[in-house]
Amino acid sequence: MKLPKLNLKLPEFKWFSELNKNQKIIAVAVALVLIADIVAGIFLISNKNKSAVKLVSFGDDKPLALYAIDSAASKGTITNPGFANFKFTRQQKEFFENLYNKKGSVALAVCLQVMPTKKQMEVIQDSSSEAVFNFGFLGKEDFTKNGKLIKQYYPGNKRIQVQGDLRKAPEVFDVSFAIQKNEDISKFIPEGFFVYSSVRCRILGACVVPAEVGFDVSKDIPFYGFACNGGVINFENSSFDFSGSSMIFPVQADRNKALPEFSMILSDDAELKTKKEHSVRVELNVGGEKIYVNNVNAAKEIIIPTGALNAPFSRTELTANSECVKAFIMRAGTGKKGDSQSSDTLILGSDGMPEILDPVRTDPGLILNYKTSQWRTADYEIYEWDRFPQILFFDTRNYDVQDRLFRRLAFFVEKQGYKGRLLTNEELGDMHGYNAHDYSAASMANFFNKATDIGFQLNEEELLLKRILIHNGLLEDDGVYVKANEGGLVSISRETPLWSRTNLLAHEGWHTVFFRDAEFRNYVSAVYYTFDSDSRDFLIDYFKSQPSLGYDVNDEYLMHNEFMAYIMQQRLSEVANYFVHLANRGTVMNYTPNLAAYVRKTEGRGFEDAANALNDFVFDKYGIVCGNIALVSR
């Protein structure tokens, strides 16, 4: 169908057509100016409360302008002593709720630039008065029903807030203020926030972040984080009050949640580092408990889990060598996926309870006395060496728990006469494995793949172990089989006396370093073949003379590994005496009388020489030494 032709004619302004060319140009110009003014007016009306300061949520890259209550907030700059007051939009308040539900904690961080005027600088320098800084939240009680700010609702010194003296502050720094934990976090989300400064100060930006409490001056922009009880910034970084952290983090571990951890970043200043001839240790007083951290070249970050401490939610003082510490932060304990609660951690086990797959990251020095009341299961706890990913430590309640996890594996991997065989429960009977265990990822992969090949039924604990190893990257799924990555595992038990646990942890810990580092394995092999041959033959005979050990002395890899661990399980000064002591055992003297006499005659010097060579290597590369794989002590 053909549409009719429309003859539309636009209206004409007769007065415009009567103007000359110049007049028309002027008229058009005036009209454009008027239109621009109208558009600008509309824009200003709609944006009059938009602040120059933007708010962004953690992990997001879409900043939203804050609602400015006053001119200082609008500009983002406090020029004269006074406040900048901001209000959150509904969408911005959702930032807090969403992040809390994902991470388990939430805080508001602001970035500030201190830029006093010349006159203000003169006053600061010539006066004993502080350059005051305050940062806090605004609640519903701070606003009228119509949403208007009630100024000085109650005196500022009674308000919970973060305070500081800007005379000691860096030019630019971040400060965060956490929100109290609650099942219904929406009730605690603030309406807005304020910044007060007695000198010119610019608010560069704001961010909704997971809560962190403490200080971090290792970054380009120093950071100071506070719990929901506020506090005073110590710009000298010699102490921090963590007492309010119990109001934002879990205080009791269970299968559903992990306790928070301390992250300590050490200075990389060579002058502040431990040398072979001189130790530099940071001393901390955490709620009355003294903790020591060895500041070695090989360590950048040390993790101290709060579950290992007697009173973590208290004031901490850096009482010695505080200049070695660039950061001391309490943060949520993290799972493998980086969240405070990894979704994999909440897989239900056969008992209907969540399985514990994520380890507690820590220095080995805090494992032996870690409080069992803070274990996430009654039978065991899993740890990961904070400086060596994929090295796991299992501490079990007793030998029965340990055996259910590792006894069949022990016979399969190491026991002479049984290696490569999967023994049934009936075949195992009451045979003993070991009081402590160590296994490489490769040997554990062989164990699980053998069970798959022959259809062998493993017990529940062994299947749980397999899931733990896959979750933590020691093994990975490869169809019906598993493939080994780097790493290793250690197991000790609380049933073992403490003095023996100390040696066993060192002994087994060295094994895992051997599993993980090819360079170390090659160095151990070189020392093994070049140190005193009679001493080496004595060690092999010692292994043969102790049936309970059951080592396969024809396994070269195993011999290198055990040679290294037997030497390095005790302090350097005790190595020679230890092997002389072995040479004095009746069973050893009966089995190898000549070599035992040789070790006694030489006073174990062959082993001491080997220990010195190994000790130099591990100190230079890892910062640890014979007899002590830990950097943290009590």
Side-chain angles (χ1 to χ4, degrees):
M1 180 177 179
K2 189 175 180 181
L3 293 174
K5 184 177 180 182
L6 296 177
N7 186 19
L8 296 177
K9 188 175 182 181
L10 294 175
E12 295 182 0
F13 294 102
K14 187 175 181 181
W15 63 267
F16 186 79
S17 61
E18 293 176 352
L19 298 177
N20 61 38
K21 183 177 180 181
N22 290 336
Q23 289 172 326
K24 287 181 179 180
I25 293 173
I26 293 172
V28 170
V30 170
L32 291 174
V33 170
L34 289 172
I35 293 171
D37 284 345
I38 292 170
V39 171
I42 295 171
F43 179 82
L44 287 173
I45 291 171
S46 63
N47 289 276
K48 67 176 182 177
N49 291 113
K50 281 192 176 181
S51 172
V53 182
K54 302 293 195 298
L55 178 73
V56 67
S57 184
F58 179 81
D60 196 354
D61 58 356
K62 298 177 182 177
L64 297 177
L66 287 158
Y67 184 95
I69 296 175
D70 47 46
S71 60
S74 179
K75 297 173 184 176
T77 302
I78 301 170
T79 305
N80 298 310
F83 289 85
N85 295 290
F86 303 86
K87 195 172 183 181
F88 300 126
T89 65
R90 180 178 297 179
Q91 184 178 1
Q92 289 168 343
K93 291 174 74 173
E94 290 176 355
F95 288 170
F96 290 90
E97 187 170 359
N98 293 338
L99 189 63
Y100 181 87
N101 291 333
K102 181 179 180 182
K103 295 289 186 178
S105 68
V106 69
L108 174 69
V110 296
C111 183
L112 303 174
Q113 181 180 14
V114 184
M115 36 190 245
T117 64
K118 184 177 180 181
K119 185 175 181 179
Q120 289 170 344
M121 282 293 297
E122 291 173 354
V123 172
I124 292 172
Q125 293 171 353
D126 297 339
S127 172
S128 59
S129 62
E130 296 180 343
V132 179
F133 154 75
N134 294 328
F135 165 43
F137 290 130
L138 296 173
K140 290 181 179 179
E141 69 278 4
D142 290 304
F143 295 90
T144 66
K145 290 181 179 180
N146 296 326
K148 186 177 180 181
L149 178 68
I150 304 172
K151 295 185 178 179
Q152 296 182 343
Y153 175 77
Y154 50 83
N157 59 0
K158 291 185 179 180
R159 184 185 292 270
I160 297 173
Q161 57 192 337
V162 176
Q163 306 174 61
D165 182 356
L166 295 179
R167 292 179 302 173
K168 302 175 182 178
E171 180 184 352
V172 179
F173 66 96
D174 290 334
V175 58
S176 77
F177 197 2
I179 296 174
Q180 184 173 340
K181 64 186 178 185
N182 193 273
E183 290 184 2
D184 186 1
I185 193 63
S186 63
K187 295 179 179 178
F188 287 81
I189 296 173
E191 294 296 308
F193 70 97
F194 68 87
V195 174
Y196 172 86
S197 179
S198 62
V199 300
R200 188 171 61 172
C201 175
R202 178 178 295 165
I203 300 99
L204 300 178
C207 187
V208 179
V209 295
E212 292 187 335
V213 181
F215 67 89
D216 185 350
V217 297
S218 67
K219 303 174 181 176
D220 292 336
I221 299 178
F223 168 84
Y224 298 89
F226 287 83
C228 54
N229 64 334
V232 179
I233 301 177
N234 176 1
F235 288 111
E236 295 175 347
N237 311 316
S238 59
S239 64
F240 209 95
D241 185 2
F242 294 95
S243 58
S245 301
S246 59
M247 293 186 283
I248 59 174
F249 295 123
V251 297
Q252 178 62 52
D254 59 33
R255 292 195 180 204
N256 292 300
K257 57 182 176 290
L259 291 175
E261 64 187 17
F262 285 108
S263 168
M264 177 184 285
I265 305 295
L266 297 169
S267 169
D268 56 6
D269 186 342
E271 297 300 317
L272 300 176
K273 292 294 186 180
T274 287
K275 311 293 191 300
K276 289 179 183 178
E277 62 279 359
H278 175 62
S279 178
V280 178
R281 296 196 305 169
V282 177
E283 180 181 293
L284 300 92
N285 186 321
V286 185
E289 181 182 16
K290 288 189 176 181
I291 303 293
Y292 302 91
V293 179
N294 195 4
N295 184 24
V296 299
N297 269 318
K300 176 65 175 176
E301 181 184 26
I302 301 294
I303 302 298
I304 301 175
T306 55
L309 305 176
N310 294 328
F313 304 107
S314 57
R315 186 172 184 79
T316 294
E317 303 279 347
L318 302 178
T319 50
N321 295 315
S322 62
E323 66 276 9
C324 296
V325 180
K326 306 301 290 183
F328 194 61
I329 290 283
M330 183 186 289
R331 64 194 183 194
T334 56
K336 284 292 172 184
K337 297 193 180 297
D339 292 344
S340 59
Q341 290 300 318
S342 169
S343 59
D344 289 347
T345 307
L346 301 181
I347 293 173
L348 298 183
S350 59
D351 59 358
M353 296 292 289
E355 289 187 344
I356 300 301
L357 304 180
D358 287 319
V360 175
R361 294 178 64 215
T362 186
D363 180 87
L366 295 171
I367 293 175
L368 293 176
N369 293 311
Y370 196 96
K371 293 183 291 186
T372 56
S373 62
Q374 294 292 12
W375 282 10
R376 294 166 294 168
T377 74
D379 286 340
Y380 64 88
E381 184 56 276
I382 318 168
Y383 308 92
E384 182 178 52
W385 201 334
D386 60 343
R387 297 196 299 132
F388 300 106
Q390 297 171 214
I391 291 184
L392 301 182
F393 297 88
F394 280 70
D395 199 359
T396 64
R397 177 168 56 86
N398 54 34
Y399 292 143
D400 286 341
V401 174
Q402 190 179 42
D403 280 348
R404 291 199 297 272
L405 284 162
F406 302 111
R407 183 170 63 145
R408 198 184 333 264
L409 184 59
F411 280 83
F412 178 86
V413 174
E414 289 187 351
K415 290 286 189 177
Q416 192 168 17
Y418 299 96
K419 285 180 62 174
R421 291 177 54 196
L422 290 173
L423 302 181
T424 65
N425 292 337
E426 291 73 21
E427 289 173 317
L428 285 170
D430 59 359
M431 290 192 296
H432 183 58
Y434 297 108
N435 292 348
H437 299 257
D438 67 88
Y439 303 106
S440 67
S443 63
M444 292 185 287
N446 291 338
F447 173 79
F448 291 114
N449 287 338
K450 176 77 172 193
T452 299
D453 273 336
I454 66 175
F456 188 92
Q457 182 60 51
L458 300 172
N459 65 34
E460 290 184 6
E461 290 81 3
E462 290 162 336
L463 293 174
L464 172 60
L465 174 63
K466 182 179 181 180
R467 291 192 291 273
I468 292 171
L469 296 172
I470 291 172
H471 179 76
N472 288 286
L474 282 79
L475 305 179
E476 60 181 89
D477 280 313
D478 189 21
V480 296
Y481 297 102
V482 291
K483 184 171 67 175
N485 293 320
E486 294 294 327
L489 174 151
V490 167
S491 171
I492 54 177
S493 174
R494 290 285 168 139
E495 193 169 335
T496 304
L498 181 59
W499 65 266
S500 181
R501 278 165 56 83
T502 301
N503 285 340
L504 289 172
L505 184 68
H507 179 103
E508 308 299 351
W510 284 119
H511 281 315
T512 61
V513 178
F514 185 89
F515 294 147
R516 191 178 185 277
D517 190 343
E519 184 182 3
F520 182 47
R521 291 196 296 272
N522 292 336
Y523 187 81
V524 169
S525 177
V527 175
Y528 180 84
Y529 288 118
T530 56
F531 94 113
D532 179 59
S533 58
D534 287 335
S535 297
R536 181 174 62 248
D537 290 343
F538 166 79
L539 182 64
I540 294 172
D541 277 358
Y542 164 72
F543 291 151
K544 293 177 180 177
S545 72
Q546 307 299 305
S548 61
L549 294 176
Y551 293 145
D552 181 356
V553 297
N554 296 313
D555 186 331
E556 189 178 63
Y557 180 95
L558 177 63
M559 287 298 97
H560 294 176
N561 199 356
E562 294 300 339
F563 149 76
M564 175 276 302
Y566 270 83
I567 284 178
M568 301 190 73
Q569 70 183 8
Q570 57 272 308
R571 297 185 183 280
L572 195 60
S573 60
E574 300 168 1
V575 171
N577 288 336
Y578 174 76
F579 285 95
V580 170
H581 168 73
L582 294 184
N584 279 320
R585 286 189 184 180
T587 53
V588 178
M589 289 190 291
N590 289 336
Y591 189 90
T592 181
N594 293 333
L595 290 175
Y598 173 80
V599 171
R600 292 195 299 273
K601 180 180 178 180
T602 59
E603 298 179 335
R605 282 193 294 271
F607 292 103
E608 188 176 76
D609 291 342
N612 276 303
L614 294 171
N615 195 71
D616 287 346
F617 180 92
V618 296
F619 179 79
D620 290 341
K621 185 164 187 183
Y622 313 121
I624 47 183
V625 293
C626 285
N628 188 10
I629 62 171
L631 295 180
V632 182
S633 60
R634 299 175 189 266

